[in-house]
Amino acid sequence: MHLLDFEREIIDENPLSSQLAKTVMVFMVRGLFNSLQFPYVQFPCADLSGDMLFDPFWEAVRRVETCGLKVLGATLDGNSVNRRLIKLHNPKEEVYKVKNPYSQERRDLFFIPDPPHLIKTTRNCWQSKCRHLWNDGKSISWSHLTSLYNRDIAPGLGVRMVPKLKLEHISLTSFSKMRVDLAAQVLSESVSKAIQLTGGEEASGTVKFVDMMDKFFDSMNVHNYKHGIYSRKEFQEPYISADDKRLKWLQEVFMKYLSDWEESVEKRDGYSKSEKGTMLLSHPTRQGLKMACNSFVELVRYLFTIPHANSFLSQRICQDPLERFFGCQRQRGGTHDNPNAKDFTKTTQELRVINSIAKPPKRGNLSWWTKGFRRRKCIATCQTSSQGC
C-alpha cells in the first residue's frame, strides 16, 4: 500500500493526457553496507524536466526515511534533467549537498554523479574530433592511443604491450560509446605506461591525463575486498578509515589537476573563448568530476562516524544496479522491444521478487560482479534514471 499510495498521489497531481509516454523514470534504493537493491517506484512520462522531478524526488526521500532507512545520497548520471534538479537547490552557485529536511538529525544529502558515466563522457571528450585537449603546453591527443594500437598489432613484434586493446576501443560506435568497460580499459594504468614508453615526451600530457583518470575511477569503483591485492593497485583496496589517503588525493591532487588545467587554458593567448572551450573536457563532465570528488570525500568520512562501520566498498555509490535493472527489463521483453507501461510494471514486480530471472544481459554497457557482502545497518542512496520504453 505504501508504494501504491505514492504512485496514486503523483498521478492525481498530474492528470493523464492523450500523449503517449516515451520514457520511464525510476527511483531505486540501494544499501551502502548490504545487498539491498530495490526499484522503489517508476513513472511513465512523455517529457521530463528537472522541475518536474523535484517534487517526486523529495517525496521519495521522505517516504524512504519514514520506512526507517537513512538516505545519505542520490546517484545520478549527467543528463540535463538531473543537472537541472541539482541546480534548483541553489541557482546562484554549484552545490553538491543539501540538508535532508526529513532526517531527524538534519544530516546532509549528497548528490553524486555516477562515476561510470563520468568515465564514459571523459573518454568521449578525449576521442571527439571537435575537441583538441591541451594542458600546460602539452597535447592530450587520441592519436597517441591510436599510434599505440597500430604499433601493438604490427606483425613481427611478438608479445603485445596492451593485449586488451582492440579495434572496438579505437573506432567507437554509438553503442560502444555507452560501454563502461571499453572506457575503463582505455583510461587505465597499462595504457598510460604503454603510451609513456612509446610516445616519449610528446605524449607526456596524455600519459598524465590517463593516469589521473585511472586513479579516479579506481577510487570510486572499489567492488571487492581482495581485488586491490590481486591487481597490486592500492587505489582498488576497500576503504577502512576516514583518513584514507585516497580522499586526500581526490581533493588535493585530482581536483587541483582539473583546476590547473582550466587555469592554463584560460591564460593561453591568441584563442577565442569557444576555441579555449575545445581544449578542455566538456563543462558538464568537469562539473560532474568535481561534484563527485566533493560528495564522495564527505560521504566516506561521515560513514566512518557510524558505529561498527569499519570498511566500505565505493562501488556501492554507482548506479550499476539501475543499469542492470533496465537491462533485465529489455532482456525479459525478448523480441518485443517496444513495451508499454503495463509491461514495464509487470516485469518490475517480477524482478522485485524472483531472483532467478534477475540476471544481467550478456551484452550491456556495464560489467556485473556477483559478490557476497557483510550485512550492516541499512543506509541507502537513492538512484534515479530514465530510459526509453
Side-chain angles (χ1 to χ4, degrees):
M1 291 301 295
H2 189 71
L3 296 177
L4 293 176
D5 290 343
F6 186 18
E7 293 182 359
R8 193 176 298 114
E9 284 185 15
I10 300 299
I11 293 174
D12 290 343
E13 292 177 4
N14 301 277
L16 297 176
S17 65
S18 58
Q19 192 174 8
L20 292 176
K22 298 178 182 178
T23 62
V24 176
M25 177 181 66
V26 176
F27 292 153
M28 174 176 280
V29 179
R30 186 182 191 188
L32 292 177
F33 292 111
N34 62 15
S35 57
L36 173 65
Q37 298 170 9
F38 186 74
Y40 180 59
V41 68
Q42 70 274 344
F43 305 107
C45 49
D47 296 302
L48 185 63
S49 66
D51 301 78
M52 295 169 57
L53 185 59
F54 189 91
D55 289 339
F57 170 76
W58 281 109
E59 179 64 13
V61 171
R62 184 185 72 83
R63 289 176 177 267
V64 172
E65 287 276 352
T66 303
C67 291
L69 306 183
K70 294 184 177 182
V71 182
L72 298 184
T75 301
L76 319 93
D77 59 27
N79 63 41
S80 58
V81 174
N82 292 330
R83 295 200 305 271
R84 174 60 181 169
L85 170 65
I86 297 173
K87 191 70 174 177
L88 287 173
H89 293 85
N90 191 337
K92 296 182 179 180
E93 60 183 24
E94 296 180 358
V95 296
Y96 62 91
K97 65 179 181 180
V98 294
K99 290 295 181 182
N100 183 348
Y102 302 113
S103 62
Q104 293 182 354
E105 63 272 33
R106 294 281 294 179
R107 80 182 86 88
D108 290 325
L109 186 149
F110 299 95
F111 295 111
I112 309 170
D114 184 39
H117 180 83
L118 290 174
I119 209 72
K120 287 188 297 184
T121 57
T122 299
R123 187 275 318 273
N124 294 342
C125 288
W126 182 26
Q127 182 268 343
S128 175
K129 295 180 180 179
C130 298
R131 293 189 176 275
H132 309 281
L133 302 185
W134 181 92
N135 183 8
D136 195 23
K138 299 174 182 178
S139 174
I140 302 173
S141 175
W142 185 259
S143 64
H144 295 146
L145 179 68
T146 304
S147 298
L148 170 64
Y149 171 73
N150 291 332
R151 182 191 182 282
D152 220 24
I153 63 173
L157 290 181
V159 179
R160 295 183 58 183
M161 287 191 294
V162 193
K164 289 186 178 181
L165 198 60
K166 310 293 183 183
L167 181 61
E168 61 182 349
H169 292 88
I170 306 300
S171 300
L172 299 178
T173 64
S174 57
F175 175 74
S176 62
K177 286 182 178 180
M178 298 300 295
R179 289 180 55 183
V180 178
D181 58 337
L182 297 183
Q185 288 166 0
V186 165
L187 294 169
S188 65
E189 183 182 27
S190 58
V191 169
S192 173
K193 290 182 177 179
I195 294 177
Q196 184 178 24
L197 183 63
T198 61
E201 180 62 26
E202 180 184 351
S204 59
T206 302
V207 170
K208 185 174 182 180
F209 166 73
V210 174
D211 183 61
M212 284 287 183
M213 294 309 305
D214 171 65
K215 291 180 178 178
F216 165 79
F217 190 57
D218 284 349
S219 301
M220 296 284 188
N221 196 44
V222 179
H223 61 273
N224 188 288
Y225 281 97
K226 296 183 178 180
H227 184 72
I229 299 175
Y230 294 152
S231 62
R232 299 181 181 181
K233 297 185 72 174
E234 59 181 357
F235 275 69
Q236 290 186 348
E237 295 179 0
Y239 289 83
I240 59 174
S241 168
D243 298 322
D244 193 291
K245 64 181 180 181
R246 284 167 291 185
L247 303 180
K248 185 177 181 180
W249 181 88
L250 287 170
Q251 285 189 318
E252 298 183 6
V253 179
F254 184 71
M255 289 190 64
K256 185 177 185 301
Y257 170 75
L258 296 176
S259 299
D260 290 346
W261 186 354
E262 293 175 350
E263 185 178 350
S264 68
V265 170
E266 184 63 30
K267 292 181 178 179
R268 194 176 187 186
D269 297 328
Y271 293 90
S272 65
K273 185 177 181 179
S274 60
E275 289 174 329
K276 288 181 179 180
T278 64
M279 301 176 192
L280 298 164
L281 299 174
S282 65
H283 178 71
T285 299
R286 286 180 282 127
Q287 182 183 12
L289 290 170
K290 294 176 182 179
M291 185 182 299
C293 290
N294 286 323
S295 296
F296 179 76
V297 169
E298 292 196 26
L299 174 62
V300 172
R301 287 174 176 164
Y302 173 82
L303 291 178
F304 283 105
T305 65
I306 300 172
H308 310 298
N310 51 27
S311 64
F312 175 63
L313 300 176
S314 58
Q315 197 262 346
R316 293 303 185 87
I317 67 168
C318 301
Q319 62 177 23
D320 288 354
L322 194 57
E323 297 285 353
R324 174 175 174 265
F325 169 74
F326 280 110
C328 290
Q329 285 277 359
R330 299 185 189 97
Q331 190 178 50
R332 285 289 293 168
T335 58
H336 179 38
D337 58 358
N338 191 26
N340 55 33
K342 184 177 180 181
D343 296 332
F344 190 93
T345 301
K346 179 177 181 295
T347 303
T348 298
Q349 295 291 4
E350 294 173 344
L351 294 174
R352 280 171 174 166
V353 298
I354 306 176
N355 291 330
S356 62
I357 67 170
K359 297 179 180 179
K362 292 182 179 180
R363 291 180 59 84
N365 63 350
L366 57 89
S367 298
W368 186 254
W369 300 274
T370 305
K371 300 290 182 182
F373 298 100
R374 304 176 185 177
R375 292 191 173 274
R376 304 293 179 91
K377 185 177 180 181
C378 188
I379 300 175
T381 58
C382 183
Q383 303 181 347
T384 68
S385 184
S386 60
Q387 296 281 339
C389 290

